Amino acid sequence: KMVDPTLAEMGKNLNEAMKMLEDNQRKVEEENEKKYVRKDIPGPLQGSGQDMVSILQLVQNLMHGEEEEETSQAYRLQNVGEQGHMALLGHSLAAYISVLDRERLRKLTTRILSDTTLWLCRLFRYENGSAYYHEDDREGLLKICRLVIHTRYEDYTVEGFNVLYTKQPVIYISSAARTGLGQALCNQLGLPLSCMCRVPCNTMFGSQHQMDVALLDRLIKDDVESGKLPLLLVANAGTPGAGHTDKLGRLKELCEQYNMWLHVEGVNLATLALGYVSSSVLAATKCDSMTLTLGSWLGLPAVPAVTLYRHEDPSLSLAAGLTSSQPVEKLRALPLWLSLQYLGHDGIVERIKHASQLSQRLLENLKNLDFIKTSVEDELSSPVVVFKFFREYSNRDQTSHAAQASTIQHPIISNERLIYDTFNQWLGEQLAQLVPASGVDVVELEDEGTCVRFSPLMTSAVLGTEIQDVDQLVDCLKMKIPVLTSTLQLREEFEQEVRRTVGLLYIEDLSWPGLGVVRYNYHSDGKNDDKQEKELEKINTELLKKLNELESDLTFSLGPEFGGQKNCVYIGMVTEDLDVSELVETIAATGREIEENSRLLENMTEVVRKGIQEAQLQLQKANEERLLEEGLLRQIPVVGSVLNWFSPFQASPKGRTFNLTAGSLESTESTYVSKAQGTGTTPPPTPTSSLAKQRLPGQKIFKRSLRSSDALSETSSVSHCDDLEKMDQRPPTLSPGQERGPLETEKTEVQEEAAQATKTDTEDVQSDKLPHDCAKVEEQGSQR
């Protein structure tokens, strides 16, 4: 059968456009000229027009900006696949079909709408239902609310809000519902926020993410007694956070009792297409309406969400906006109509089944991991897996640990809760970075706090998640658990060590995922606050630089970009073999060294400045004395030369030398007499750390030997290090009969004298070369 040439050309153009947009390779000339093209600056419309290739190239440049090009992996286009191309083709076909004559358009749109609605109702076991297709996933619920208002208030079409004023409607939503859902409904319906009632979840029995049915019953009774009209109840088949399902059977009975409308939404509705469905989710087939988000479930881009509902009065559905008399409005279902035919019934079920298998495999692996708590509603079939890192208390026996391994219900102290939230935030970010195909994210739950969520129904079809990705996720989790456990254990020890160490200040930052935060305290000598703050910043910045130069496995940083403490050193995650005492001692010793060097430089600068001033005064005085000794006649240019020729004046050159070591000003007469520079005062020897640690070959800094730590105590290990130092200081043992010769004795004495002697920096300060000499003295001071 012949294919319409226009349709064939449309499909060809779409394929070419998609290939061009999905191609991330650029030519070198385009990259060089990229900064100069008019792609980010709005300009006038070109009069001659452009061809399709140029326009698509412009779209590609806008999609891949300069920022995205630097991190092309993070902003790479989703590989939509063939089924995605069908969905995109539907939007092009909708524009083409809309130009058909009215009769053909009516027949075609009716067929598309009827087929799609029939397929979806059979797939998700929703008998005798109608469908509304919408772009915003909240729009379907909004239309349902208007339908219920038209149904319950017969005069609403005529009298409008006056009818609502006499008997205020009430919409009930769960406290675990999407954030801002109630406010959005009230704003769009023109209702006050008092018409929205949030129903708390269970606190004593059942899941803490399920709506409290008994409390809901009391709330409805109170509203009825106060003259209000219970209108609609929004329930969850998979809460946005934990993926739990409300007790839909009991909620349906309650809605029938009070003549209320029951609307259900959630990711667990996707499992209705499977052969086995849990009874809690299966009860959703009896509700009055449900919203399905097929785009994320099946990995279909730009397809509308669908709200299935049952209502017998088509006129009220038309008044509420659920149906339309315009054929073009019915073309919203065209992308979904094409995609469902391409996938087929088996393909749709297979995708949803694959996502369920991924979550089940992860759940089975998490059961075997220590320090991991899961929060799932049904261990047999749970499309959403929520887990967190949590370390049991030491007094909790293993029996209770195994009994409660699948539920997060342990009360946590406020500070401890914040620490665990911080650690789980870090864990979720690390897993998402290491295994991006898994689609894990971080979620904040009211009772459990910060958790890691794995919802393959929402991500696997888009990201292409496979079984090996789940296995890789578990392997990464196994590697991160020891790090989290060790850091949590050593965190308190680190705090105690820092508080015992003079010169260090422990900064409590519960939002930092790591060992802790420390600041080196600068000992100010009467300096003002601004100068002290600058000096503190300088020392801690230099301290951070020197710590990062050490060959260690630790990460030192300035902390988070926003919200962190200033002038601090943030230490990241650590392992169990960390020597906390050595780490704290190194930080304190490095800080003291930086402070001493800073003080020495300041003192030396002041001493050099005063020495130069004193040298200037002494040289000026020496010049005056020389004038008195030579006489006035020798100062006259011509007469002085003749007089010096007949009677030369013998005067020893006088100068000043500045001893940087002693900080004193001395005469240069001895230098000119001996023709050699004096040694001056011997500088004190540089102190060395008395706590130098003996390391095994290949052992990094801040690592303690696990073998010695298991066999020896801390005291015995320190005494062992002292013995090693004493052994190093002993002279080599001579065998019997072996004596040291006189030449060896002399060499030893000379070496000892050379080791103690140091070079003294001196500089002559002459009156005729004073500025140059001052610069020399300052340069030598800085080198010193």
Side-chain angles (χ1 to χ4, degrees):
K1 188 176 180 179
M2 296 294 295
V3 182
D4 190 345
T6 306
L7 296 179
E9 184 69 19
M10 185 182 304
K12 180 182 178 180
N13 293 338
L14 178 64
N15 290 331
E16 293 179 355
M18 290 302 301
K19 289 180 181 180
M20 182 177 297
L21 293 177
E22 290 176 352
D23 185 13
N24 290 332
Q25 300 297 331
R26 309 284 208 287
K27 295 181 181 180
V28 179
E29 295 81 8
E30 293 175 349
E31 290 181 349
N32 295 334
E33 299 175 0
K34 186 174 182 180
K35 296 182 179 179
Y36 306 100
V37 297
R38 182 193 57 81
K39 69 182 188 63
D40 294 328
I41 304 175
L45 181 64
Q46 296 186 9
S48 58
Q50 302 183 56
D51 55 2
M52 186 182 68
V53 177
S54 301
I55 297 174
L56 290 178
Q57 185 65 45
L58 175 61
V59 174
Q60 181 184 5
N61 293 336
L62 292 174
M63 293 169 62
H64 305 279
E66 295 180 5
E67 295 82 7
E68 288 82 350
E69 194 172 87
E70 297 177 359
T71 57
S72 58
Q73 295 296 330
Y75 292 91
R76 195 173 182 179
L77 270 180
Q78 171 193 338
N79 186 15
V80 294
E82 290 295 330
Q83 73 279 357
H85 287 189
M86 294 299 296
L88 299 177
L89 179 62
H91 292 274
S92 302
L93 284 176
Y96 173 70
I97 294 174
S98 63
V99 301
L100 297 176
D101 60 88
R102 190 173 184 83
E103 185 63 25
R104 287 187 179 183
L105 180 60
R106 185 186 61 80
K107 291 181 179 180
L108 182 58
T109 54
T110 302
R111 171 67 183 271
I112 293 173
L113 197 62
S114 301
D115 288 349
T116 310
T117 302
L118 178 63
W119 298 338
L120 292 177
C121 288
R122 289 183 177 180
L123 266 172
F124 296 99
R125 310 185 184 195
Y126 197 81
E127 299 177 357
N128 301 324
S130 302
Y132 172 65
Y133 303 89
H134 47 92
E135 303 297 334
D136 188 355
D137 54 0
R138 296 176 300 184
E139 188 178 355
L141 177 58
L142 176 64
K143 302 293 186 182
I144 291 295
C145 291
R146 289 178 176 171
L147 173 64
V148 180
I149 290 176
H150 279 279
T151 304
R152 298 298 303 276
Y153 295 92
E154 297 180 356
D155 298 334
Y156 179 75
T157 306
V158 179
E159 299 185 9
F161 70 92
N162 290 325
V163 180
L164 304 179
Y165 180 77
T166 57
K167 201 168 188 179
Q168 180 176 329
V170 183
I171 300 174
Y172 302 89
I173 63 173
S174 172
S175 58
R178 288 179 290 173
T179 304
L181 177 62
Q183 184 176 2
L185 290 177
C186 290
N187 292 338
Q188 294 296 323
L189 295 172
L191 299 176
L193 292 179
S194 59
C195 294
M196 191 62 55
C197 179
R198 294 180 61 87
V199 183
C201 294
N202 296 324
T203 56
M204 298 297 295
F205 304 101
S207 170
Q208 296 181 354
H209 302 277
Q210 290 180 344
M211 192 183 303
D212 192 336
V213 181
L215 182 57
L216 173 63
D217 191 9
R218 292 197 298 267
L219 291 175
I220 295 176
K221 289 181 179 179
D222 294 341
D223 290 336
V224 171
E225 292 176 358
S226 60
K228 298 181 180 179
L229 179 63
L231 198 66
L232 180 140
L233 172 63
V234 182
N236 292 301
T239 55
H244 289 203
T245 303
D246 291 326
K247 299 175 181 179
L248 300 179
R250 294 184 58 188
L251 293 178
K252 179 58 179 176
E253 295 175 359
L254 198 63
C255 290
E256 291 177 350
Q257 178 182 350
Y258 293 98
N259 194 20
M260 294 172 56
W261 185 284
L262 177 60
H263 178 83
V264 181
E265 59 182 22
V267 66
N268 292 350
L269 292 176
T271 59
L272 289 173
L274 302 178
Y276 169 77
V277 187
S278 62
S279 58
S280 59
V281 179
L282 189 60
T285 58
K286 304 300 180 182
C287 66
D288 298 299
S289 61
M290 65 170 66
T291 298
L292 310 175
T293 54
L294 298 169
S296 56
W297 298 349
L298 305 177
L300 302 175
V303 297
V306 185
T307 296
L308 302 179
Y309 65 96
R310 297 189 185 97
H311 199 267
E312 298 178 355
D313 192 346
S315 61
L316 294 182
S317 300
L318 180 63
L322 289 169
T323 57
S324 175
S325 59
Q326 299 296 328
V328 179
E329 294 290 332
K330 300 179 182 179
L331 289 175
R332 288 182 182 176
L334 181 58
L336 194 56
W337 183 71
L338 294 175
S339 301
L340 293 178
Q341 291 186 88
Y342 182 84
L343 291 174
H345 182 277
D346 296 339
I348 296 172
V349 174
E350 183 62 29
R351 292 203 170 205
I352 299 176
K353 183 179 180 180
H354 175 68
S356 300
Q357 290 174 348
L358 292 176
S359 60
Q360 190 63 27
R361 185 178 185 89
L362 177 62
L363 185 59
E364 291 175 356
N365 285 293
L366 293 180
K367 293 178 183 179
N368 302 324
L369 297 181
D370 295 331
F371 309 119
I372 293 296
K373 296 290 188 180
T374 58
S375 175
V376 293
E377 182 182 15
D378 186 1
E379 295 187 359
L380 297 177
S381 61
S382 179
V384 181
V385 179
V386 175
F387 61 93
K388 67 178 295 186
F389 166 75
F390 185 81
R391 187 170 178 268
E392 294 287 347
Y393 290 104
S394 59
N395 59 356
R396 184 180 296 272
D397 57 3
Q398 296 297 326
T399 305
S400 61
H401 167 66
Q404 298 183 3
S406 62
T407 309
I408 310 173
Q409 293 183 353
H410 194 278
I412 308 177
I413 306 174
S414 57
N415 285 351
E416 188 179 2
R417 163 77 175 264
L418 293 176
I419 293 176
Y420 277 108
D421 287 350
T422 301
F423 277 41
N424 283 285
Q425 177 80 24
W426 177 85
L427 176 62
E429 293 173 355
Q430 289 291 310
L431 294 177
Q433 182 179 0
L434 295 174
V435 194
S438 64
V440 295
D441 60 348
V442 180
V443 61
E444 296 284 344
L445 301 180
E446 183 176 357
D447 297 315
E448 292 86 349
T450 303
C451 299
V452 183
R453 177 177 58 186
F454 178 65
S455 182
L457 272 172
M458 301 297 293
T459 60
S460 64
V462 176
L463 300 176
T465 311
E466 299 294 339
I467 295 294
Q468 55 266 26
D469 296 322
V470 177
D471 296 339
Q472 183 182 358
L473 180 68
V474 175
D475 294 338
C476 293
L477 187 58
K478 291 179 180 178
M479 293 189 300
K480 296 301 179 182
I481 289 176
V483 177
L484 291 167
T485 307
S486 304
T487 306
L488 191 63
Q489 289 177 340
L490 297 175
R491 195 177 173 107
E492 183 177 357
E493 181 182 351
F494 175 75
E495 178 180 356
Q496 295 175 357
E497 286 287 341
V498 172
R499 295 189 185 278
R500 285 197 299 260
T501 305
V502 179
L504 296 182
L505 177 64
Y506 180 81
I507 305 298
E508 186 175 10
D509 190 350
L510 301 178
S511 62
W512 171 249
L515 184 64
V517 186
V518 64
R519 174 188 296 162
Y520 183 80
N521 265 345
Y522 174 68
H523 303 286
S524 61
D525 299 332
K527 297 183 179 180
N528 54 30
D529 295 340
D530 294 339
K531 190 173 182 180
Q532 181 179 354
E533 184 73 18
K534 291 181 180 179
E535 195 67 26
L536 182 65
E537 180 181 0
K538 179 181 177 182
I539 292 177
N540 283 277
T541 303
E542 185 67 21
L543 174 61
L544 176 63
K545 180 181 178 182
K546 288 190 174 296
L547 290 176
N548 283 322
E549 292 175 356
L550 300 177
E551 295 182 358
S552 67
D553 294 334
L554 301 182
T555 56
F556 303 94
S557 65
L558 292 174
E561 184 177 359
F562 302 102
Q565 297 285 338
K566 293 182 179 179
N567 306 327
C568 295
V569 176
Y570 285 75
I571 306 173
M573 293 289 178
V574 298
T575 53
E576 60 178 354
D577 57 349
L578 173 69
D579 194 335
V580 177
S581 59
E582 183 187 1
L583 171 62
V584 176
E585 178 189 350
T586 303
I587 295 176
T590 308
R592 285 193 296 267
E593 180 183 356
I594 296 173
E595 182 182 1
E596 291 173 0
N597 292 339
S598 177
R599 289 180 181 273
L600 179 61
L601 183 60
E602 290 182 0
N603 297 336
M604 185 175 295
T605 304
E606 184 66 19
V607 170
V608 170
R609 186 181 63 82
K610 292 182 178 179
I612 293 175
Q613 294 177 355
E614 184 180 354
Q616 290 176 344
L617 295 176
Q618 292 185 9
L619 289 175
Q620 184 178 359
K621 185 177 180 181
N623 289 334
E624 294 175 356
E625 292 177 355
R626 184 173 59 85
L627 290 176
L628 294 177
E629 292 178 2
E630 294 178 358
L632 183 60
L633 293 177
R634 293 183 183 273
Q635 311 304 319
I636 302 175
V638 179
V639 178
S641 300
V642 176
L643 186 58
N644 288 332
W645 183 74
F646 282 107
S647 176
F649 181 80
Q650 299 294 335
S652 60
K654 295 182 179 181
R656 297 295 182 269
T657 177
F658 185 73
N659 193 331
L660 294 176
T661 304
S664 60
L665 198 65
E666 302 172 356
S667 176
T668 60
E669 293 182 1
S670 60
T671 303
Y672 288 105
V673 171
S674 62
K675 306 297 183 180
Q677 203 171 29
T679 57
T681 307
T682 301
T686 303
T688 58
S689 176
S690 61
L691 297 174
K693 187 176 180 180
Q694 299 291 334
R695 301 191 181 280
L696 298 175
Q699 183 180 2
K700 291 188 176 182
I701 192 173
F702 307 140
K703 298 289 185 181
R704 66 172 184 267
S705 177
L706 295 180
R707 294 180 300 175
S708 62
S709 63
D710 295 337
L712 300 175
S713 62
E714 183 180 356
T715 306
S716 62
S717 62
V718 173
S719 62
H720 179 64
C721 294
D722 295 339
D723 294 340
L724 291 176
E725 293 179 0
K726 293 178 181 179
M727 292 291 292
D728 295 339
Q729 296 175 1
R730 292 179 183 176
T733 306
L734 299 178
S735 61
Q738 183 181 3
E739 296 180 355
R740 181 180 298 175
L743 181 59
E744 295 178 355
T745 306
E746 182 179 355
K747 284 183 178 181
T748 305
E749 294 176 355
V750 171
Q751 291 175 358
E752 292 176 355
E753 292 177 359
Q756 295 178 356
T758 57
K759 184 179 179 181
T760 306
D761 297 330
T762 60
E763 181 63 31
D764 293 337
V765 185
Q766 300 293 342
S767 60
D768 54 342
K769 297 182 179 180
L770 187 58
H772 180 67
D773 294 339
C774 294
K776 278 189 173 183
V777 172
E778 292 180 354
E779 180 181 358
Q780 291 181 2
S782 62
Q783 293 177 356
R784 187 68 179 179

